[in-house]
Amino acid sequence: MIVVLGRMSAMAIPSESSDRIQLLQGTLDMLILRTLLFGPAHGHQIAKHIQRTTDDLLQVEHGSLYPALHRLERKGWIAAKWEPAGKDLKREFKYYRLTRAGKKQLVAEESKWKTMTDVIGRLMWPAEES
Amino acid sequence: MRWQRRKQREQDLDRELLSDLELEAEEQREKGLSTEEARYAARRAFGNATYVKEEVREMWGWSPLDRLKQDLICALRGMRRSPGFAATAVLSLALGIGANTAIFSLIDAVLLRMLPVRDPAQLVILDCLSRNGTRGSFSHADYEWISDRASMFSGVAASASWRIDWKTASTKRRLNADLVSANFFAVLGVPSALGHVWEPAGDPGAVAVISHGLWRREFQSSPSALGSTMMLADVPFEIVGVAPPEFFGTAVGDNPDVYIPLTTQPLLNPGHSILHTRNTGWLELLARLRPRVTARQAREGLAVLYAAVRSELHIDANRDAVNQIGVSPGAGGISWLRVRFSEPLHILMGLVALVLLIACANVSNLLLARAAARRREFAVRLAIGASRSRIARQLLTECTLIAALAGVLGLAIAQNLSRLLLGLADVRSVRASLNWKVLAFTGALSLITSLAFGVAPSLRGARGDPASTIKPGAHSVGDRAGGWGLSHWLVITQVAVSLLLLTTAGLLIRTFRNLEHADTGFDRDRVIEVQVDPGAAGYKSEQMPDLAERMIERIQTLPTVESASASALGFGWGVMRVCCVSVEGRIPRPDEEKVVRVQTVTPDYFRTMGIAMLRGRPFTLRDTAGKPEVAVVNESMAHKYFDGSDPVGAHFGWSPQESGKIEVVGVVKDARYDSLREETPPMLYQSVWQRRANLNFIEVRLKRPDAVGRAMGEIRAAMKTVDAGVPVLDISAMSAQVDRTLGQNRLLAQLSAAFGFLALALASLGLYGLLSYGVARRTAEIGVRMALGAEERDVKWMVLQETLILTGVGLITGIIVAIGAHRLIAAQLFGLSATDPLTVGGAAGLMIAVACAAGYVPAHRASRIDPMAALRNE
């Protein structure tokens, strides 16, 4: 099973693939914020990071990633800056970095997420709980 | 600024995505792929870059202005792609909008314009109403009472519009002169542009304020005009001021050239003062209400005031010429033009609104057909991610653009049309100009029309399922639109509205014909009427019978002339009313109006005019001063005052005390003097020697009707030999005189016919379009039918049948609506009912004929379809 982060779109996803899961809106935002907690990163790095840390189970579509980045930037949770990549000074990447407000938001999202999984867990597997 | 930022953001995004793509490609290369392969793999992994950009842009959000710009560019591109469609749509709408704007600008100029005075809303018009509600003018004594006593007004101004001769060293011409009360300018709050207007207190003397127009035309706007002298009716007037340029007097269309004080009236008519008496009604009154006084309070106050005046002066309220004083809003001033043109203008406004409705339906149908043709385009757009609302919005933008272009073109059409209409109506005193009201009207109209014709096609365009539309070969055989769609109903509406317009035009044209052939009671083809002004040459009214006698004698020597006569009144010049008839031995009904109209004539008048003598005798040379007074009455008078018995030999007088004074010697057929529409009022004729009057008209009967042109010159010359000093104001055949009073009816008939045909053309275009489109869409179906054995005739009939059904439904709807709507124009009709079957039938027949013609072309085309070719297209 592969989880694709992104909205259904006519071009990207063949409609017959039933083993792909749509994540709740807002989840991607949380994952991006969480990724940036390790330090500034550009779009490609963020996508790769999410993919790698989930052993390729979570795939981030560009069509979702970039709008999300721009949305978060507009909300003031992350800030962007063009900077050269470490080794090669001639190549610049757009690095995103977590802001103070972004950190707060991440904490809030995390606790919300925890509550939700908790609640859903209780509903789905009541026996295991007791 | 905004755009700049947007551009930079776009570049930024491009760069960001490109760097991502490069990194992806690098990674793929590291996995061992070639450069080329790596790039493709990166692209595959990246997905649709345009889609990503779109998504990000959507996230940024577009400002409404950006979207509008995009939509406009798109709309313009669309119009350039199909110029035929764009031209048809814009042109038909422009005609509709132009006609509406033109009529509105006339309504604005004639009906809505406010007097250019201080606080016009405070002004009221006082109406002098007689017992039966007809409107008259106030006498000077009435004016004095009202202005002295009416406390609810802060001021009452009087004015009378006269035409007065102005003599300069070289020329003599007639001016429009307003005789106005001393407080006229003060009450209206009109300052002078130059010099001064007179002050309310005291008698200003023989002074004049000239209009700005006259000052510019005749005095070259020179300040030295002030203080100079104008000879008006041989009286020297000193020019003391110039009125402001925007002031057009108190009546729209009057445009007086000069204002002189009321008190100079006795100077203008020496020996005949109408000041301070109640004998003559000649003044129009405008009053300014005191603050917080309503028109209703003013009316009640005036009724109380008049009751007091009557009891003081012992006037019998039942016999008083002034029965009631009406108070109506005066912000627009007094206007006969308004009274005359109000209803015709409203009818025209209704007609052009209907024309616009038809034009809208046409454009709507065009758009529907276009939307159907563009289905694939919309489907592709929907498929690649455009939202339905976005497509609908873009289509609406296209509609608005069409309407805006049509509005601009319509304004240009309106400018010329309103000028043309004013010329045709022979109204030169009114200028229909562009102002914010007209512009706002056109703007609102364009917007409303764009919504009216645009909404349905836009929604239709945004609907539809992309998947099934894009599939090749969609809708061919069997794709009948299953029943009637919106387009069919639009065409039915067009047919119905066209029928309404055609019947209206038919009714108005037939009214005009009826009026033209209406029985005037006199002979109009071989009688010439000459209007003279012996008063201007110094003749007193007692000298006029003698002058007339000499003129008649001289004219009768002409070979073309059969007889000639003179009279006080001519056709279309109104008549003198005299009160109060009292018939010997007859008790009047209590509510009876005792006013009759009196005409003074020479003995040969009836023979010359061709007015039939029904009983008794005409006047003879023996009916002179000193002999017993005699009169000839018309049928209406005989009927009203003599209750059907033979009036010849009966006596009447002007008061119960002298009811035996005048003997009726004859009865003549009713002849019309005012208008062809009204019933002829009771009227009596008296001889020139027994009732003194200004003889301002000479009638000449010719031996042959075709001699009119030649005779006019001869008559003019003959009159000159009698007294060259008597001005001849007008000389024309009676038929021309009657025609002149019909000008408005003719114009209304012509315009409604023009609009009716425009509607017919637009509706048949709509019908043709719908049917052609239907045939084009059903090509395959028709091909199958023909392959299966249908003959050309059958196919033709199939299309014509649809035409006839559509037209039939439209006609039935139209007739039902027309029967209801024509009551609105009943007042304009003459000699036929508003539901005249001949007119309705004729209009319906014309509609069917044109519809068949419009349907025949597509029907013929359908019958020519080659089954093989049609089916091969599948």
Side-chain angles (χ1 to χ4, degrees):
Chain A
M1 190 201 70
I2 297 170
V3 180
V4 177
L5 284 175
R7 287 198 336 215
M8 272 292 204
S9 96
M11 302 305 288
I13 310 164
S15 53
E16 52 272 8
S17 76
S18 52
D19 57 346
R20 293 190 167 205
I21 302 173
Q22 289 271 283
L23 281 190
L24 285 167
Q25 178 129 48
T27 313
L28 178 59
D29 290 6
M30 184 177 74
L31 295 180
I32 293 171
L33 292 176
R34 180 69 184 80
T35 307
L36 290 178
L37 201 57
F38 298 115
H42 52 74
H44 187 73
Q45 286 174 330
I46 296 169
K48 287 284 146 169
H49 180 262
I50 293 174
Q51 224 164 303
R52 233 170 277 141
T53 40
T54 59
D55 293 329
D56 286 354
L57 280 174
L58 266 181
Q59 290 185 0
V60 185
E61 267 185 44
H62 291 90
S64 306
L65 174 69
Y66 283 99
L69 284 171
H70 284 254
R71 183 167 59 242
L72 293 173
E73 186 185 356
R74 195 153 77 170
K75 283 184 176 163
W77 295 336
I78 58 178
K81 203 178 172 192
W82 285 91
E83 275 171 52
K87 46 192 175 178
D88 185 357
L89 286 178
K90 264 182 272 169
R91 273 176 80 181
E92 282 197 334
F93 293 102
K94 194 173 179 186
Y95 279 96
Y96 294 94
R97 154 181 79 70
L98 208 56
T99 63
R100 199 180 283 268
K103 275 180 194 148
K104 261 193 213 156
Q105 178 64 22
L106 179 60
V107 174
E109 294 258 343
E110 243 184 297
S111 74
K112 237 167 59 188
W113 181 257
K114 265 188 194 141
T115 315
M116 202 174 71
T117 46
D118 199 23
V119 169
I120 290 174
R122 269 190 234 177
L123 255 167
M124 299 298 289
W125 307 281
E128 290 167 33
E129 196 65 23
S130 56
Chain B
M1 181 64 195
R2 207 193 176 97
W3 195 244
Q4 281 293 321
R5 224 171 48 216
R6 170 136 230 140
K7 224 166 147 183
Q8 185 161 7
R9 258 206 303 205
E10 288 278 355
Q11 283 170 353
D12 192 61
L13 181 64
D14 277 346
R15 200 172 148 208
E16 186 176 9
L17 295 183
L18 198 69
S19 68
D20 191 321
L21 205 58
E22 276 172 16
L23 283 174
E24 188 75 45
E26 270 168 36
E27 275 169 26
Q28 297 289 346
R29 256 206 314 276
E30 278 160 20
K31 280 184 193 166
L33 292 175
S34 72
T35 318
E36 192 79 343
E37 279 172 281
R39 221 173 57 221
Y40 284 128
R43 277 210 179 276
R44 267 199 304 278
F46 194 87
N48 184 344
T50 317
Y51 169 73
V52 174
K53 276 194 229 169
E54 261 313 310
E55 284 288 301
V56 175
R57 278 192 210 115
E58 202 55 48
M59 220 289 307
W60 288 343
W62 291 97
S63 70
L65 216 67
D66 294 335
R67 286 179 202 267
L68 183 69
K69 188 174 161 179
Q70 284 180 329
D71 286 344
L72 275 179
I73 290 172
C74 241
L76 276 173
R77 214 179 283 152
M79 284 174 75
R80 230 183 9 230
R81 233 185 353 240
S82 42
F85 156 77
T88 314
V90 168
L91 201 69
S92 57
L93 280 180
L95 281 174
I97 291 176
N100 274 274
T101 304
I103 302 295
F104 178 79
S105 69
L106 293 186
I107 286 187
D108 170 59
V110 176
L111 303 181
L112 304 179
R113 192 154 297 172
M114 299 273 233
L115 284 181
V117 300
R118 168 170 53 86
D119 206 356
Q122 265 182 1
L123 289 178
V124 288
I125 299 170
L126 304 186
D127 296 307
C128 177
L129 303 171
S130 72
R131 284 180 69 82
N132 64 358
T134 52
R135 197 175 173 282
S137 299
F138 288 94
S139 69
H140 192 244
D142 286 314
Y143 166 58
E144 287 178 317
W145 294 337
I146 295 172
S147 99
D148 289 352
R149 300 191 187 200
S151 56
M152 48 282 183
F153 303 125
S154 60
V156 184
S159 66
S161 297
W162 285 18
R163 291 181 57 80
I164 297 179
D165 282 329
W166 175 36
K167 264 187 216 154
T168 61
S170 51
T171 61
K172 181 170 137 183
R173 33 179 294 223
R174 294 219 144 185
L175 291 184
N176 289 327
D178 265 17
L179 276 72
V180 300
S181 57
N183 61 358
F184 181 78
F185 293 106
V187 170
L188 291 180
V190 173
S192 66
L194 185 75
H196 61 89
V197 294
W198 43 78
E199 293 304 313
D203 180 1
V207 293
V209 169
I210 58 175
S211 76
H212 204 270
L214 189 78
W215 183 51
R216 204 185 51 232
R217 286 193 309 272
E218 302 292 333
F219 297 91
Q220 286 74 46
S221 301
S222 153
S224 66
L226 291 185
S228 64
T229 301
M230 279 178 105
M231 293 301 286
L232 295 175
D234 295 326
V235 179
F237 280 83
E238 187 198 345
I239 298 172
V240 294
V242 177
E246 70 279 1
F247 185 63
F248 54 80
T250 51
V252 174
D254 248 14
N255 303 332
D257 299 305
V258 59
Y259 304 86
I260 54 178
L262 274 189
T263 44
T264 58
Q265 181 274 325
L267 301 174
L268 299 171
N269 311 95
H272 186 55
S273 170
I274 48 177
L275 295 179
H276 315 298
T277 83
R278 285 200 89 196
N279 291 345
T280 311
W282 59 298
L283 297 172
E284 307 297 328
L285 302 190
L286 258 176
R288 187 175 283 280
L289 290 172
R290 277 194 198 284
R292 288 182 299 282
V293 174
T294 64
R296 208 189 127 124
Q297 286 166 335
R299 195 177 306 129
E300 284 160 5
L302 283 171
V304 173
L305 183 151
Y306 254 76
V309 168
R310 285 195 196 110
S311 71
E312 256 174 61
L313 299 173
H314 309 292
I315 298 170
D316 179 2
N318 288 327
R319 300 189 52 177
D320 193 358
V322 184
N323 183 261
Q324 202 194 338
I325 298 178
V327 177
S328 47
I334 306 156
S335 178
W336 298 111
L337 213 56
R338 194 168 297 169
V339 175
R340 216 175 108 204
F341 284 110
S342 172
E343 201 178 320
L345 276 176
H346 282 115
I347 290 177
L348 284 177
M349 195 74 230
L351 294 183
V352 292
L354 290 177
V355 170
L356 184 61
L357 185 70
I358 294 179
C360 274
N362 244 2
V363 176
S364 203
N365 248 347
L366 276 173
L367 282 168
L368 279 175
R370 204 164 109 96
R374 286 167 76 184
R375 258 211 302 229
R376 201 167 285 234
E377 174 195 337
F378 295 137
V380 169
R381 283 209 211 172
L382 280 172
I384 59 172
S387 68
R388 287 173 202 279
S389 70
R390 189 64 205 270
I391 288 184
R393 196 171 52 220
Q394 200 222 309
L395 284 172
L396 261 185
T397 309
E398 271 180 35
C399 298
T400 317
L401 186 68
I402 291 172
L405 288 176
V408 172
L409 193 60
L411 264 184
I413 294 175
Q415 281 283 291
N416 293 307
L417 193 60
S418 58
R419 211 169 300 146
L420 182 75
L421 286 180
L422 283 176
L424 285 176
D426 207 20
V427 176
R428 310 208 182 285
S429 49
V430 171
R431 285 241 313 278
S433 53
L434 266 189
N435 56 29
W436 65 266
K437 255 189 283 179
V438 176
L439 285 175
F441 175 84
T442 313
L445 200 65
S446 309
L447 201 67
I448 291 168
T449 48
S450 78
L451 288 179
F453 70 72
V455 166
S458 304
L459 294 180
R460 181 68 59 89
R463 219 157 59 191
D465 173 27
S468 69
T469 311
I470 299 178
K471 271 185 212 143
H475 42 244
S476 47
V477 181
D479 182 46
R480 273 201 67 179
W484 285 352
L486 183 60
S487 324
H488 290 78
W489 291 110
L490 281 172
V491 165
I492 288 171
T493 312
Q494 286 185 314
V495 171
V497 175
S498 303
L499 183 85
L500 183 60
L501 283 167
L502 284 177
T503 48
T504 308
L507 288 175
L508 291 172
I509 290 170
R510 282 178 30 89
T511 290
F512 172 64
R513 290 257 167 270
N514 286 348
L515 283 171
E516 235 185 0
H517 297 113
D519 186 9
T520 48
F522 55 80
D523 211 341
R524 47 176 127 162
D525 291 329
R526 49 157 78 178
V527 180
I528 289 174
E529 188 181 73
V530 188
Q531 194 194 353
V532 291
D533 190 1
Y539 286 92
K540 302 276 172 280
S541 55
E542 58 267 27
Q543 298 169 295
M544 286 187 191
D546 182 51
L547 173 72
E549 193 75 343
R550 281 189 288 144
M551 293 263 187
I552 290 167
E553 240 165 59
R554 178 74 191 81
I555 291 169
Q556 275 176 338
T557 62
L558 295 171
T560 48
V561 171
E562 189 177 308
S563 67
S565 65
S567 66
L569 306 162
F571 180 84
W573 288 91
V575 281
M576 198 172 293
R577 299 147 182 264
V578 176
C579 189
C580 306
V581 171
S582 181
V583 176
E584 196 177 39
R586 177 176 173 277
I587 300 148
R589 282 182 290 276
D591 58 335
E592 192 172 86
E593 203 199 0
K594 302 184 187 95
V595 177
V596 292
R597 305 184 175 205
V598 176
Q599 160 80 303
T600 310
V601 299
T602 59
D604 264 348
Y605 180 76
F606 302 116
R607 185 158 72 91
T608 305
M609 285 293 282
I611 298 175
M613 205 73 214
L614 297 176
R615 264 195 291 277
R617 62 168 177 90
F619 300 116
T620 66
L621 292 170
R622 288 189 303 279
D623 298 322
T624 54
K627 293 280 168 57
E629 245 187 275
V630 293
V632 169
V633 300
N634 72 354
E635 278 176 287
S636 297
M637 175 144 178
H639 188 73
K640 182 163 180 191
Y641 292 102
F642 298 94
D643 305 318
S645 62
D646 189 357
V648 174
H651 290 80
F652 71 95
W654 299 115
S655 68
Q657 290 80 35
E658 46 179 28
S659 63
K661 189 178 161 204
I662 306 171
E663 186 188 343
V664 178
V665 295
V667 181
V668 290
K669 203 166 171 278
D670 280 346
R672 292 170 187 271
Y673 281 85
D674 270 344
S675 134
L676 296 176
R677 289 166 177 278
E678 288 166 21
E679 272 185 38
T680 313
M683 181 154 180
L684 65 86
Y685 299 86
Q686 284 203 277
S687 158
V688 286
W689 294 291
Q690 295 189 337
R691 185 182 182 89
R692 188 180 295 167
N694 284 340
L695 297 177
N696 288 334
F697 293 89
I698 288 174
E699 299 83 20
V700 185
R701 184 185 189 79
L702 304 179
K703 285 183 182 138
R704 294 203 344 250
D706 51 6
V708 169
R710 187 154 53 92
M712 289 205 280
E714 293 174 359
I715 293 167
R716 201 184 276 273
M719 289 174 61
K720 224 168 215 166
T721 63
V722 178
D723 185 343
V726 176
V728 174
L729 303 178
D730 181 55
I731 177 163
S732 52
M734 283 313 292
S735 55
Q737 296 272 357
V738 174
D739 269 5
R740 211 174 292 167
T741 65
L742 292 181
Q744 190 186 324
N745 294 291
R746 180 187 292 119
L747 188 62
L748 199 56
Q750 284 169 340
L751 286 177
S752 62
F755 292 138
F757 283 115
L758 184 59
L760 190 64
L762 287 173
S764 56
L765 195 69
L767 197 59
Y768 167 79
L770 180 74
L771 294 167
S772 303
Y773 177 62
V775 167
R777 232 179 34 166
R778 289 165 63 188
T779 304
E781 179 206 325
I782 294 168
V784 170
R785 277 171 193 260
M786 292 181 87
L788 293 178
E791 300 210 2
E792 280 186 17
R793 220 182 31 191
D794 303 328
V795 172
K796 228 181 240 180
W797 175 237
M798 185 176 77
V799 178
L800 275 180
Q801 209 176 11
E802 194 183 352
T803 314
L804 286 176
I805 292 173
L806 284 173
T807 315
V809 175
L811 284 182
I812 292 168
T813 323
I815 288 173
I816 293 170
V817 174
I819 286 173
H822 284 152
R823 258 176 303 166
L824 296 175
I825 59 163
Q828 291 288 329
L829 303 182
F830 178 78
L832 75 172
S833 84
T835 53
D836 183 49
L838 192 65
T839 310
V840 175
L846 182 62
M847 190 73 234
I848 290 173
V850 171
C852 283
Y856 185 79
V857 181
H860 184 71
R861 201 179 300 145
S863 72
R864 280 301 144 104
I865 288 174
D866 174 8
M868 283 315 291
L871 291 174
R872 214 174 290 133
N873 276 342
E874 276 306 297

